[in-house]
Amino acid sequence: MSTDAQRCSVLSVGEPSAFLAERRKGKSSFVIAVDHASARIPRRLGDLGLPPTELERHVAWDIGALAVARLISEALDAPLVAQNYSRLVIDCNRYPDTETSIPATAELHQVPGNVGISDAEIRARREEIFEPYHNALTALLEQRESDNRPTILFAQHTMTDVFKGVTREMHAAVLYGLDRRFAGFALDALRENKEFVIADNEPYTVVQGVHYTIPFHAESRGIPNLEIEIRQDLVSERAGQIAWAERICVALRAAERRFRTLE
Ligand SMILES: [Zn+2]
């Protein structure tokens, strides 16, 4: 491998940083992570060989997730860290050595710009996009730990309403891996509103060794946590984003009250 190849870089001068961080000193117990906040592709990667319609779909990002997360962050005064580039560049909720870290296919289509890429390019995506985002989360969690502040990690996602031709009936889902303590309370609270179907660890769960944010940042530190998926068609517009942010805030507050009685 040549020296030039080793110096491969992904982000150009003047492009937005790898992550957004807001309300770092927020008073809430909640820290909000948005792994799939953006559909942005670095200029140097062009369109990854995909048509514009694909780059706007859920395969590129979690539609509405950042907008909902920002409303929750504001309402709760909770710190928020969000990825600033598409999951098609590198998926920040996958361990970097998994197959889907830099996905060669996105739902049904091949991603030409991700096929046969060099080790130097893989390393550049990891170092310039994945690591800065997760380092920001680590720094925030370590700071709170050293300040003796309680923390609950909340990962906000949205999911497609139709996956591989199958329509999803649930409106939202609460997901977790090894630690259901907080997620169970949040699920109970969300289910109090009978108007909505809230799934319990479906249509998927937090998978050890594959999914990254909850296992790496929360489970490894014993931090209570949950992931919430909202169906994207419910939060693609402002009114839905506001309504779901309010619903989630009510549920998070109720779950936190129950959780504190255990401690
Ligand atoms: Zn997501």
Side-chain angles (χ1 to χ4, degrees):
M1 191 183 290
S2 74
T3 311
D4 280 350
Q6 284 166 1
R7 277 203 217 108
C8 178
S9 74
V10 173
L11 297 184
S12 312
V13 175
E15 278 195 289
S17 70
F19 65 92
L20 305 170
E22 297 172 359
R23 291 192 183 78
R24 286 180 210 235
K25 296 190 189 303
K27 292 185 173 43
S28 172
S29 298
F30 294 98
V31 167
I32 306 173
V34 194
D35 299 328
H36 302 141
S38 176
R40 181 180 289 114
I41 309 284
R43 283 199 295 273
R44 283 190 180 149
L45 301 182
D47 54 14
L48 290 171
L50 290 168
T53 46
E54 281 302 292
L55 296 173
E56 291 161 9
R57 286 188 348 111
H58 77 96
V59 294
W61 65 313
D62 284 359
I63 294 165
L66 179 61
V68 172
R70 278 184 155 147
L71 290 166
I72 296 169
S73 164
E74 187 182 355
L76 299 180
D77 191 21
L80 178 152
V81 182
Q83 178 50 258
N84 220 359
Y85 287 89
S86 171
R87 65 191 301 173
L88 294 174
V89 178
I90 184 163
D91 190 329
C92 284
N93 194 28
R94 296 290 182 278
Y95 273 89
D97 52 2
T98 58
E99 212 179 308
T100 49
S101 164
I102 296 176
T105 55
E107 195 178 351
L108 301 168
H109 301 276
Q110 197 181 57
V111 186
N114 288 350
V115 177
I117 59 176
S118 67
D119 289 348
E121 170 144 0
I122 293 169
R123 194 163 55 240
R125 294 192 196 188
R126 198 178 292 180
E127 288 176 0
E128 294 176 42
I129 295 176
F130 180 92
E131 288 175 7
Y133 169 68
H134 286 294
N135 290 345
L137 272 169
T138 296
L140 181 61
L141 297 174
E142 283 180 353
Q143 182 63 51
R144 294 172 68 94
E145 208 171 318
S146 75
D147 293 344
N148 265 326
R149 297 190 53 190
T151 294
I152 300 161
L153 184 63
F154 166 44
Q156 178 69 68
H157 290 262
T158 64
M159 60 185 164
T160 180
D161 45 328
V162 183
F163 188 70
K164 294 186 175 172
V166 178
T167 302
R168 287 180 174 151
E169 302 298 340
M170 78 262 296
H171 297 95
V174 174
L175 309 182
Y176 45 88
L178 300 177
D179 180 359
R180 193 183 186 274
R181 292 174 301 164
F182 191 86
F185 291 152
L187 183 66
D188 291 347
L190 282 167
R191 282 180 166 174
E192 275 181 26
N193 187 337
K194 304 292 181 211
E195 201 184 328
F196 301 106
V197 177
I198 312 292
D200 179 353
N201 240 4
E202 287 181 50
Y204 32 79
T205 166
V206 175
V207 181
Q208 304 301 309
V210 177
H211 295 137
Y212 190 85
T213 299
I214 293 292
F216 182 83
H217 290 292
E219 290 175 352
S220 66
R221 294 170 188 274
I223 292 176
N225 63 78
L226 80 162
E227 209 169 295
I228 292 182
E229 294 269 5
I230 310 167
R231 227 175 56 202
Q232 65 180 29
D233 57 306
L234 305 175
V235 290
S236 56
E237 305 287 343
R238 194 68 181 160
Q241 292 162 2
I242 292 170
W244 277 93
E246 282 174 2
R247 251 168 235 140
I248 291 171
C249 281
V250 168
L252 291 177
R253 286 190 177 113
E256 188 183 13
R257 279 193 298 273
R258 276 182 76 189
F259 190 78
R260 295 290 167 231
T261 64
L262 295 181
E263 290 183 322

